[in-house]
Coordinates of all heavy atoms in Angstrom, one line a residue:
M348 N 31.0 51.6 64.4 CA 29.7 52.3 64.2 C 29.7 52.9 62.8 O 30.6 53.7 62.4 CB 29.7 53.5 65.2 CG 28.6 54.4 65.0 SD 28.6 55.9 66.1 CE 28.5 55.1 67.7
P349 N 28.8 52.5 62.0 CA 28.7 53.0 60.6 C 28.5 54.5 60.5 O 27.8 55.1 61.4 CB 27.5 52.2 60.0 CG 27.2 51.1 60.9 CD 27.7 51.5 62.3
V350 N 29.0 55.1 59.5 CA 28.7 56.5 59.2 C 27.8 56.5 58.0 O 27.9 55.8 57.1 CB 30.0 57.2 58.9 CG1 29.7 58.6 58.4 CG2 30.9 57.3 60.1
I351 N 26.7 57.4 58.2 CA 25.8 57.6 57.0 C 26.0 59.0 56.5 O 26.0 60.0 57.2 CB 24.4 57.4 57.4 CG1 24.1 56.0 58.0 CG2 23.4 57.7 56.2 CD1 22.6 55.8 58.4
T352 N 26.2 59.0 55.2 CA 26.3 60.3 54.5 C 25.0 60.5 53.7 O 24.7 59.7 52.8 CB 27.4 60.4 53.5 OG1 28.7 60.2 54.2 CG2 27.5 61.7 52.8
F353 N 24.1 61.3 54.2 CA 22.9 61.6 53.5 C 23.1 62.7 52.5 O 23.8 63.7 52.9 CB 21.8 62.2 54.6 CG 21.3 61.1 55.5 CD1 21.8 60.9 56.8 CD2 20.2 60.3 55.1 CE1 21.3 60.0 57.6 CE2 19.7 59.3 55.9 CZ 20.3 59.1 57.2
I354 N 22.6 62.6 51.3 CA 22.8 63.6 50.3 C 21.4 64.0 49.8 O 20.7 63.2 49.2 CB 23.6 63.0 49.1 CG1 25.0 62.5 49.6 CG2 23.9 64.2 48.1 CD1 25.8 61.8 48.6
E355 N 21.1 65.3 50.1 CA 19.8 65.8 49.6 C 19.8 65.9 48.1 O 20.9 65.9 47.4 CB 19.6 67.2 50.2 CG 19.4 67.2 51.7 CD 19.2 68.6 52.3 OE1 18.2 69.3 51.8 OE2 20.0 69.1 53.1
F356 N 18.7 66.1 47.5 CA 18.5 66.2 46.1 C 19.4 67.3 45.5 O 19.9 67.2 44.4 CB 17.0 66.3 45.7 CG 16.8 66.1 44.2 CD1 16.8 64.9 43.6 CD2 16.5 67.2 43.4 CE1 16.6 64.7 42.3 CE2 16.3 67.1 42.0 CZ 16.4 65.8 41.5
D357 N 19.5 68.4 46.3 CA 20.3 69.5 45.7 C 21.8 69.3 46.0 O 22.6 70.2 45.7 CB 19.8 70.8 46.4 CG 20.2 71.0 47.9 OD1 20.8 70.0 48.4 OD2 19.8 72.0 48.5
G358 N 22.2 68.2 46.5 CA 23.6 67.9 46.7 C 24.2 68.2 48.1 O 25.3 67.9 48.4
T359 N 23.3 68.8 48.9 CA 23.8 69.1 50.3 C 24.0 67.8 51.1 O 23.2 66.9 51.1 CB 22.7 69.9 51.1 OG1 22.4 71.1 50.3 CG2 23.2 70.3 52.4
E360 N 25.2 67.7 51.7 CA 25.6 66.5 52.4 C 25.5 66.7 53.9 O 25.8 67.7 54.4 CB 27.0 66.0 52.0 CG 27.1 65.6 50.6 CD 28.4 64.9 50.3 OE1 29.2 64.6 51.3 OE2 28.8 64.8 49.1
H361 N 25.1 65.6 54.6 CA 25.0 65.5 56.0 C 25.6 64.2 56.5 O 25.2 63.2 56.1 CB 23.6 65.6 56.6 CG 22.7 66.7 56.0 ND1 22.5 67.9 56.7 CD2 22.0 66.8 54.9 CE1 21.7 68.6 55.9 NE2 21.4 68.0 54.8
Q362 N 26.7 64.3 57.3 CA 27.3 63.0 57.7 C 27.0 62.8 59.2 O 27.2 63.7 60.0 CB 28.8 63.1 57.5 CG 29.5 61.8 57.3 CD 30.9 61.9 56.8 OE1 31.8 62.5 57.4 NE2 31.1 61.3 55.6
V363 N 26.5 61.6 59.5 CA 26.2 61.3 60.9 C 26.7 60.0 61.3 O 26.8 59.1 60.4 CB 24.6 61.4 61.1 CG1 24.1 62.8 60.7 CG2 23.9 60.3 60.4
D364 N 27.0 59.8 62.6 CA 27.3 58.5 63.1 C 25.9 57.8 63.3 O 25.0 58.3 63.9 CB 28.0 58.6 64.4 CG 29.4 59.2 64.3 OD1 30.0 58.9 63.2 OD2 29.9 59.9 65.2
A365 N 25.9 56.5 62.8 CA 24.6 55.8 62.9 C 24.7 54.8 64.0 O 25.8 54.2 64.3 CB 24.3 55.1 61.6
D366 N 23.6 54.5 64.7 CA 23.6 53.5 65.7 C 23.0 52.2 65.1 O 22.0 52.2 64.5 CB 22.6 53.9 66.9 CG 23.2 55.1 67.6 OD1 24.4 55.2 67.8 OD2 22.3 56.0 67.9
A367 N 23.7 51.1 65.4 CA 23.2 49.8 64.9 C 21.9 49.5 65.7 O 21.7 49.9 66.8 CB 24.2 48.7 65.2
G368 N 21.0 48.9 64.9 CA 19.7 48.5 65.6 C 18.6 49.5 65.3 O 17.5 49.2 65.7
I369 N 18.9 50.6 64.7 CA 17.8 51.5 64.3 C 17.9 51.7 62.8 O 18.9 51.5 62.2 CB 17.8 52.9 65.1 CG1 18.9 53.8 64.7 CG2 17.7 52.6 66.6 CD1 18.8 55.2 65.2
S370 N 16.8 52.2 62.2 CA 16.7 52.2 60.8 C 17.3 53.5 60.2 O 17.6 54.5 60.9 CB 15.2 52.1 60.4 OG 14.5 53.3 60.7
I371 N 17.5 53.5 58.9 CA 17.9 54.7 58.2 C 16.9 55.8 58.4 O 17.3 56.9 58.7 CB 18.1 54.4 56.7 CG1 19.3 53.5 56.5 CG2 18.2 55.7 55.9 CD1 19.5 53.0 55.0
M372 N 15.7 55.5 58.4 CA 14.6 56.5 58.6 C 14.7 57.1 60.0 O 14.7 58.3 60.1 CB 13.2 55.9 58.3 CG 12.1 56.8 58.6 SD 11.6 56.8 60.4 CE 10.6 55.4 60.5
E373 N 14.8 56.3 61.0 CA 14.9 56.8 62.3 C 16.2 57.6 62.5 O 16.2 58.6 63.2 CB 14.9 55.6 63.3 CG 13.6 54.9 63.4 CD 13.7 53.6 64.1 OE1 14.6 52.7 63.8 OE2 12.9 53.4 65.0
T374 N 17.3 57.2 61.9 CA 18.5 58.0 62.0 C 18.3 59.4 61.4 O 18.8 60.4 61.9 CB 19.7 57.2 61.3 OG1 19.8 55.9 61.9 CG2 21.0 58.0 61.4
A375 N 17.7 59.4 60.2 CA 17.5 60.7 59.5 C 16.6 61.6 60.4 O 16.9 62.8 60.6 CB 16.8 60.5 58.2
L376 N 15.6 61.1 61.0 CA 14.7 61.9 61.8 C 15.5 62.4 63.1 O 15.4 63.6 63.5 CB 13.4 61.2 62.3 CG 12.5 60.8 61.1 CD1 11.2 60.1 61.7 CD2 12.1 62.0 60.3
K377 N 16.2 61.5 63.7 CA 17.0 61.8 64.9 C 18.0 63.0 64.6 O 18.2 63.8 65.5 CB 17.8 60.6 65.3 CG 18.7 60.8 66.5 CD 19.4 59.5 66.9 CE 20.4 59.7 68.0 NZ 21.2 58.4 68.2
H378 N 18.5 63.1 63.4 CA 19.5 64.1 63.1 C 18.9 65.2 62.2 O 19.6 66.0 61.7 CB 20.6 63.5 62.4 CG 21.4 62.5 63.2 ND1 22.4 63.0 64.1 CD2 21.4 61.2 63.4 CE1 22.9 62.0 64.8 NE2 22.3 60.9 64.3
N379 N 17.5 65.3 62.2 CA 16.8 66.4 61.5 C 17.3 66.5 60.0 O 17.5 67.6 59.5 CB 17.0 67.7 62.2 CG 16.4 67.7 63.6 OD1 15.3 67.2 63.8 ND2 17.1 68.1 64.6
I380 N 17.5 65.4 59.4 CA 17.8 65.4 57.9 C 16.6 65.7 57.1 O 15.6 64.9 57.2 CB 18.4 64.0 57.5 CG1 19.6 63.6 58.4 CG2 18.8 64.1 56.0 CD1 20.8 64.5 58.4
P381 N 16.6 66.7 56.3 CA 15.4 66.9 55.5 C 15.2 65.9 54.3 O 16.2 65.4 53.9 CB 15.6 68.3 54.9 CG 17.1 68.6 55.0 CD 17.6 67.7 56.1
G382 N 14.0 65.7 53.9 CA 13.8 64.8 52.8 C 13.3 63.4 53.1 O 13.0 62.6 52.2
I383 N 13.1 63.1 54.4 CA 12.5 61.8 54.8 C 11.3 62.2 55.6 O 11.4 62.9 56.7 CB 13.4 61.0 55.7 CG1 14.7 60.6 54.9 CG2 12.7 59.8 56.3 CD1 14.6 59.2 54.3
D384 N 10.1 61.9 55.1 CA 8.9 62.3 55.8 C 8.4 61.3 56.9 O 8.0 61.6 58.0 CB 7.7 62.6 54.8 CG 8.1 63.8 54.0 OD1 9.0 64.6 54.3 OD2 7.4 64.0 52.9
A385 N 8.4 60.0 56.4 CA 8.1 58.9 57.4 C 6.7 59.0 57.9 O 6.4 58.9 59.2 CB 9.1 58.8 58.5
D386 N 5.7 59.3 57.1 CA 4.3 59.5 57.5 C 3.7 58.4 58.3 O 2.9 58.6 59.2 CB 3.4 59.8 56.3 CG 3.7 61.2 55.7 OD1 4.4 62.0 56.4 OD2 3.3 61.4 54.6
C387 N 4.1 57.2 58.0 CA 3.5 56.0 58.7 C 4.3 55.6 59.9 O 3.9 54.6 60.6 CB 3.2 54.8 57.8 SG 4.7 53.9 57.4
G388 N 5.4 56.2 60.2 CA 6.1 55.9 61.4 C 7.0 54.6 61.3 O 7.5 54.2 62.3
G389 N 7.1 54.1 60.1 CA 8.0 52.9 59.9 C 7.2 51.6 59.7 O 7.9 50.6 59.8
S390 N 6.0 51.7 59.3 CA 5.2 50.5 59.1 C 5.2 50.0 57.6 O 4.5 49.0 57.3 CB 3.8 50.7 59.5 OG 3.7 51.1 60.8
A391 N 6.0 50.6 56.8 CA 6.2 50.2 55.4 C 4.9 50.3 54.6 O 4.6 49.6 53.7 CB 6.8 48.8 55.2
V392 N 4.0 51.3 55.0 CA 2.8 51.5 54.2 C 2.6 52.9 53.6 O 1.6 53.1 53.0 CB 1.6 51.2 55.1 CG1 1.5 49.7 55.5 CG2 1.5 52.1 56.4
C393 N 3.6 53.8 53.8 CA 3.4 55.1 53.2 C 4.4 55.4 52.1 O 4.1 56.2 51.1 CB 3.5 56.2 54.3 SG 5.2 56.5 54.9
G394 N 5.5 54.9 52.1 CA 6.6 55.1 51.1 C 7.3 56.4 51.2 O 8.1 56.8 50.3
T395 N 7.0 57.2 52.2 CA 7.6 58.6 52.3 C 9.0 58.6 53.0 O 9.4 59.6 53.4 CB 6.7 59.6 53.0 OG1 6.4 59.1 54.3 CG2 5.3 59.7 52.3
C396 N 9.6 57.4 53.0 CA 10.9 57.3 53.5 C 11.8 56.8 52.4 O 12.9 56.3 52.6 CB 11.0 56.5 54.8 SG 10.5 54.8 54.4
H397 N 11.3 56.9 51.2 CA 12.1 56.4 50.0 C 13.4 57.0 49.9 O 13.5 58.2 50.1 CB 11.3 56.6 48.7 CG 12.0 56.2 47.5 ND1 12.0 57.0 46.4 CD2 12.7 55.1 47.2 CE1 12.7 56.4 45.4 NE2 13.1 55.2 45.9
C398 N 14.5 56.2 49.6 CA 15.8 56.8 49.5 C 16.6 55.8 48.6 O 16.2 54.7 48.3 CB 16.5 57.1 50.8 SG 16.4 55.7 52.0
F399 N 17.8 56.2 48.2 CA 18.7 55.4 47.4 C 19.9 55.1 48.2 O 20.6 56.0 48.6 CB 19.0 56.2 46.1 CG 17.8 56.8 45.4 CD1 17.4 58.1 45.6 CD2 17.1 55.9 44.6 CE1 16.3 58.6 44.9 CE2 15.9 56.4 43.9 CZ 15.6 57.8 44.1
V400 N 20.1 53.8 48.5 CA 21.1 53.4 49.5 C 22.2 52.6 48.9 O 22.0 51.6 48.1 CB 20.4 52.5 50.5 CG1 21.4 52.0 51.6 CG2 19.2 53.2 51.2
Q401 N 23.4 53.0 49.2 CA 24.6 52.3 48.8 C 25.4 52.0 50.1 O 25.5 52.9 50.9 CB 25.5 53.1 47.8 CG 24.7 53.2 46.5 CD 25.4 54.2 45.5 OE1 26.3 54.9 45.9 NE2 25.0 54.1 44.3
A402 N 25.8 50.8 50.2 CA 26.5 50.3 51.5 C 27.7 49.6 51.2 O 27.9 49.0 50.1 CB 25.5 49.4 52.3
G403 N 28.6 49.6 52.1 CA 29.9 48.8 52.0 C 29.7 47.4 52.2 O 30.5 46.5 51.7
G404 N 28.6 47.0 52.8 CA 28.3 45.5 53.0 C 26.9 45.2 52.7 O 26.2 46.1 52.1
P405 N 26.5 44.0 53.0 CA 25.1 43.6 52.5 C 24.0 44.3 53.3 O 24.1 44.6 54.5 CB 25.1 42.1 52.9 CG 26.2 41.9 53.9 CD 27.2 42.9 53.7
L406 N 22.9 44.6 52.5 CA 21.7 45.1 53.1 C 20.7 44.0 53.3 O 20.7 43.0 52.6 CB 21.2 46.2 52.2 CG 22.0 47.5 51.9 CD1 21.4 48.3 50.8 CD2 22.1 48.3 53.2
P407 N 19.7 44.3 54.2 CA 18.7 43.3 54.4 C 17.9 43.2 53.1 O 17.7 44.2 52.3 CB 17.8 43.8 55.5 CG 18.2 45.3 55.6 CD 19.6 45.4 55.1
A408 N 17.3 42.0 52.8 CA 16.5 41.8 51.6 C 15.3 42.6 51.6 O 14.7 43.0 52.7 CB 16.2 40.3 51.5
V409 N 14.8 42.9 50.4 CA 13.5 43.7 50.3 C 12.4 42.6 50.4 O 12.3 41.7 49.7 CB 13.4 44.3 48.9 CG1 12.1 45.0 48.7 CG2 14.6 45.3 48.7
D410 N 11.5 42.9 51.4 CA 10.4 41.9 51.6 C 9.2 42.3 50.7 O 9.2 43.4 50.1 CB 10.0 41.8 53.1 CG 9.3 43.0 53.6 OD1 8.8 43.9 52.9 OD2 9.1 43.1 54.9
P411 N 8.2 41.5 50.6 CA 7.1 41.8 49.7 C 6.4 43.1 49.9 O 6.0 43.8 49.0 CB 6.1 40.6 49.9 CG 7.0 39.5 50.3 CD 8.1 40.1 51.2
Q412 N 6.2 43.5 51.2 CA 5.5 44.8 51.5 C 6.4 45.9 51.0 O 5.9 46.9 50.4 CB 5.3 44.9 53.0 CG 4.7 46.2 53.4 CD 3.3 46.5 52.8 OE1 2.6 45.6 52.5 NE2 3.0 47.8 52.5
E413 N 7.7 45.9 51.3 CA 8.6 47.0 50.8 C 8.5 47.0 49.3 O 8.5 48.1 48.6 CB 10.0 46.8 51.3 CG 10.9 47.9 50.9 CD 12.3 47.8 51.4 OE1 12.6 46.8 52.1 OE2 13.1 48.7 51.2
E414 N 8.6 45.8 48.7 CA 8.6 45.7 47.2 C 7.3 46.4 46.6 O 7.4 47.2 45.7 CB 8.6 44.3 46.8 CG 8.6 44.0 45.3 CD 9.7 44.6 44.5 OE1 10.8 44.7 45.0 OE2 9.5 45.1 43.4
S415 N 6.2 46.2 47.3 CA 5.0 46.7 46.8 C 4.9 48.2 46.9 O 4.5 48.9 46.0 CB 3.8 46.0 47.4 OG 3.1 46.9 48.2
M416 N 5.5 48.8 48.0 CA 5.5 50.2 48.1 C 6.5 50.9 47.1 O 6.3 51.9 46.5 CB 5.9 50.6 49.6 CG 4.9 50.3 50.6 SD 3.2 50.9 50.2 CE 3.5 52.6 50.1
L417 N 7.7 50.2 47.0 CA 8.7 50.8 46.0 C 8.1 50.8 44.6 O 8.4 51.6 43.8 CB 9.9 50.0 46.1 CG 10.8 50.1 47.4 CD1 12.0 49.1 47.4 CD2 11.3 51.6 47.5
G418 N 7.2 49.8 44.3 CA 6.7 49.7 43.0 C 5.8 50.9 42.6 O 5.5 51.1 41.5
L419 N 5.4 51.7 43.6 CA 4.5 52.9 43.4 C 5.3 54.1 43.1 O 4.8 55.1 42.8 CB 3.7 53.1 44.6 CG 2.7 52.0 45.0 CD1 2.0 52.4 46.4 CD2 1.7 51.8 44.0
R420 N 6.7 54.0 43.2 CA 7.5 55.2 43.0 C 7.9 55.3 41.6 O 8.6 54.4 41.1 CB 8.8 55.0 43.9 CG 8.5 55.1 45.4 CD 8.2 56.4 45.9 NE 9.0 57.5 45.5 CZ 9.1 58.6 46.2 NH1 8.5 58.8 47.4 NH2 9.8 59.6 45.7
P421 N 7.6 56.4 40.9 CA 8.0 56.6 39.5 C 9.5 56.8 39.4 O 10.1 56.6 38.4 CB 7.3 57.8 39.1 CG 6.8 58.5 40.3 CD 6.7 57.5 41.4
D422 N 10.1 57.2 40.5 CA 11.6 57.5 40.5 C 12.4 56.3 41.1 O 13.5 56.4 41.5 CB 11.9 58.8 41.3 CG 11.3 58.8 42.7 OD1 10.6 57.8 43.1 OD2 11.7 59.7 43.5
R423 N 11.8 55.1 41.2 CA 12.5 54.0 41.7 C 13.7 53.7 40.9 O 13.7 53.8 39.7 CB 11.5 52.7 41.7 CG 12.2 51.5 42.3 CD 11.3 50.3 42.3 NE 12.0 49.2 43.0 CZ 11.4 48.1 43.3 NH1 10.2 47.9 42.9 NH2 12.1 47.2 43.9
A424 N 14.8 53.3 41.6 CA 16.0 52.9 41.0 C 16.5 51.6 41.6 O 15.9 51.1 42.5 CB 17.1 54.0 41.2
E425 N 17.6 51.0 41.0 CA 18.1 49.7 41.5 C 18.4 49.8 43.0 O 18.3 48.8 43.7 CB 19.3 49.3 40.7 CG 18.9 48.5 39.5 CD 20.2 47.9 38.9 OE1 21.1 47.6 39.6 OE2 20.1 47.6 37.7
D426 N 18.8 51.0 43.5 CA 19.2 51.1 44.9 C 18.1 51.7 45.8 O 18.4 52.1 46.9 CB 20.6 51.8 45.0 CG 20.5 53.2 44.4 OD1 19.5 53.6 43.8 OD2 21.5 53.9 44.5
S427 N 16.9 51.7 45.2 CA 15.8 52.2 46.0 C 15.5 51.4 47.2 O 15.5 50.1 47.1 CB 14.5 52.3 45.2 OG 14.6 53.4 44.3
R428 N 15.3 52.0 48.4 CA 14.8 51.3 49.6 C 13.9 52.2 50.3 O 13.8 53.4 50.1 CB 16.0 51.0 50.5 CG 17.0 50.0 49.9 CD 16.5 48.6 49.6 NE 15.8 48.0 50.7 CZ 16.3 46.9 51.4 NH1 17.5 46.5 51.0 NH2 15.7 46.4 52.3
L429 N 13.1 51.5 51.2 CA 12.3 52.3 52.2 C 13.3 52.4 53.4 O 13.7 51.4 54.0 CB 11.1 51.6 52.6 CG 10.0 51.4 51.5 CD1 8.8 50.6 52.1 CD2 9.6 52.7 50.9
G430 N 13.6 53.7 53.8 CA 14.5 53.8 54.9 C 14.1 53.2 56.2 O 15.0 52.8 57.0
C431 N 12.8 53.0 56.4 CA 12.3 52.4 57.6 C 12.6 50.9 57.6 O 12.5 50.3 58.7 CB 10.9 52.7 57.8 SG 9.7 51.9 56.7
Q432 N 12.9 50.3 56.5 CA 13.0 48.9 56.4 C 14.5 48.4 56.4 O 14.8 47.3 56.4 CB 12.3 48.3 55.2 CG 10.8 48.6 55.2 CD 10.1 48.0 56.5 OE1 10.1 46.8 56.7 NE2 9.6 48.9 57.3
V433 N 15.4 49.4 56.5 CA 16.8 49.1 56.5 C 17.3 49.4 57.9 O 17.6 50.6 58.2 CB 17.6 49.8 55.4 CG1 19.1 49.5 55.5 CG2 17.0 49.5 54.0
V434 N 17.4 48.4 58.7 CA 17.9 48.5 60.1 C 19.5 48.4 60.0 O 20.0 47.5 59.5 CB 17.3 47.5 61.0 CG1 18.0 47.6 62.4 CG2 15.8 47.7 61.1
I435 N 20.1 49.4 60.6 CA 21.6 49.5 60.4 C 22.3 48.4 61.3 O 21.9 48.1 62.4 CB 22.0 50.9 60.9 CG1 21.4 51.9 59.9 CG2 23.5 51.0 61.0 CD1 21.3 53.3 60.5
S436 N 23.3 47.9 60.7 CA 24.1 46.9 61.4 C 25.6 47.3 61.1 O 25.9 47.9 60.1 CB 23.8 45.5 61.0 OG 24.3 45.3 59.6
D437 N 26.5 46.8 62.0 CA 27.9 47.1 61.8 C 28.4 46.5 60.5 O 29.3 47.0 59.9 CB 28.7 46.7 63.0 CG 28.4 47.5 64.2 OD1 28.1 48.7 64.1 OD2 28.5 47.0 65.3
E438 N 27.8 45.4 60.1 CA 28.3 44.6 58.9 C 28.0 45.4 57.6 O 28.7 45.1 56.6 CB 27.6 43.3 58.8 CG 27.9 42.3 59.9 CD 27.4 42.6 61.3 OE1 26.3 43.2 61.4 OE2 28.1 42.4 62.3
M439 N 27.1 46.3 57.7 CA 26.8 47.1 56.4 C 28.0 48.1 56.1 O 28.0 48.5 54.9 CB 25.6 48.0 56.6 CG 24.3 47.2 56.7 SD 22.9 48.4 57.0 CE 21.6 47.2 57.2
G440 N 28.8 48.4 57.0 CA 29.8 49.4 56.8 C 29.2 50.8 56.6 O 28.0 51.0 57.0
D441 N 29.9 51.7 56.1 CA 29.4 53.0 55.9 C 28.4 53.1 54.8 O 28.5 52.3 53.8 CB 30.5 54.0 55.7 CG 31.4 54.2 56.9 OD1 31.0 53.9 58.0 OD2 32.6 54.6 56.7
L442 N 27.4 54.0 54.9 CA 26.3 54.0 54.0 C 26.3 55.4 53.3 O 26.6 56.4 53.9 CB 25.0 53.8 54.7 CG 24.8 52.5 55.4 CD1 23.8 52.6 56.5 CD2 24.3 51.4 54.4
T443 N 25.9 55.4 52.0 CA 25.5 56.7 51.4 C 24.1 56.6 51.0 O 23.6 55.6 50.4 CB 26.3 56.9 50.1 OG1 27.7 56.9 50.4 CG2 26.0 58.2 49.4
V444 N 23.3 57.6 51.5 CA 21.9 57.6 51.3 C 21.5 58.9 50.6 O 21.6 60.0 51.1 CB 21.1 57.5 52.7 CG1 19.6 57.6 52.5 CG2 21.5 56.2 53.4
K445 N 21.1 58.7 49.3 CA 20.6 59.8 48.5 C 19.1 60.0 48.7 O 18.4 59.0 48.7 CB 21.0 59.7 47.1 CG 22.5 59.7 46.8 CD 22.8 59.6 45.4 CE 24.4 59.6 45.2 NZ 24.8 59.4 43.8
L446 N 18.7 61.2 48.8 CA 17.3 61.5 49.0 C 16.6 61.9 47.7 O 17.3 62.6 46.9 CB 17.1 62.6 50.1 CG 17.8 62.1 51.4 CD1 18.0 63.3 52.4 CD2 17.0 61.0 52.1
P447 N 15.4 61.5 47.5 CA 14.7 61.8 46.3 C 14.3 63.3 46.2 O 14.4 64.0 47.2 CB 13.5 61.0 46.3 CG 13.2 60.7 47.7 CD 14.5 60.7 48.4
E448 N 13.9 63.8 45.0 CA 13.5 65.2 44.8 C 12.3 65.5 45.7 O 12.2 66.6 46.3 CB 13.2 65.4 43.4 CG 12.9 66.9 43.1 CD 12.7 67.1 41.6 OE1 12.6 66.2 40.8 OE2 12.6 68.3 41.2
F449 N 11.4 64.5 45.9 CA 10.3 64.7 46.7 C 9.8 63.4 47.2 O 10.1 62.3 46.6 CB 9.1 65.4 45.9 CG 8.7 64.7 44.7 CD1 7.8 63.7 44.7 CD2 9.3 65.1 43.5 CE1 7.5 63.0 43.5 CE2 9.0 64.4 42.3 CZ 8.0 63.4 42.3
Q450 N 9.0 63.4 48.3 CA 8.3 62.2 48.8 C 6.9 62.3 48.4 O 6.4 63.4 48.1 CB 8.4 62.1 50.3 CG 9.9 62.0 50.9 CD 10.5 60.6 50.5 OE1 9.9 59.7 50.0 NE2 11.8 60.5 50.9
M451 N 6.2 61.2 48.2 CA 4.8 61.2 47.8 C 4.0 60.1 48.5 O 4.6 59.2 49.1 CB 4.7 61.0 46.3 CG 5.5 59.8 45.7 SD 5.5 59.7 44.0 CE 3.9 59.0 43.7
Ligands
FES600 S1 8.0 55.4 57.1 FE1 6.3 54.8 56.0 S2 7.0 53.4 54.6 FE2 8.8 53.9 55.7

């Protein structure tokens, strides 16, 4: 079972056990992690689950819809992802998920 360390913009850390088969966004909401809004509920159309993801193993590829939403983020970085589009698997290993200063 992968462990996710969520790191808020102010450096506050939250470590949670993640369930394979659900997304980073769903995991954050389940554990009341602040900083993920998820206004669209996971349809990749709001961008308010933006986060910076580092994993021990491979992540799913960014599809064109995710790419287009990430392109709207002025704070996009190389490890930017939509948390709703990264479904956790055991192969990913443990994850570090940094949260942006704000969602928009
Ligand atoms: S929850 Fe809306 S894009 Fe991820």
Side-chain angles (χ1 to χ4, degrees):
M348 175 185 296
V350 171
I351 301 182
T352 302
F353 289 97
I354 305 176
E355 295 181 58
F356 190 74
D357 69 2
T359 305
E360 294 191 12
H361 309 264
Q362 204 166 62
V363 304
D364 293 327
D366 296 320
I369 70 169
S370 69
I371 289 173
M372 175 275 278
E373 291 168 309
T374 303
L376 295 186
K377 179 180 171 184
H378 293 279
N379 298 314
I380 308 295
I383 298 263
D384 294 344
D386 290 343
C387 76
S390 302
V392 294
C393 73
T395 63
C396 62
H397 176 227
C398 51
F399 308 98
V400 181
Q401 294 173 345
L406 294 172
V409 176
D410 73 13
Q412 176 60 31
E413 182 177 4
E414 176 62 35
S415 112
M416 293 308 300
L417 289 173
L419 300 174
R420 295 288 312 205
D422 54 351
R423 182 179 187 175
E425 272 193 25
D426 57 355
S427 283
R428 296 299 305 255
L429 296 181
C431 68
Q432 299 303 298
V433 180
V434 175
I435 295 157
S436 69
D437 290 330
E438 292 71 34
M439 288 177 188
D441 293 339
L442 299 155
T443 300
V444 177
K445 293 183 179 172
L446 302 166
E448 184 175 9
F449 55 85
Q450 297 290 356
M451 50 183 284

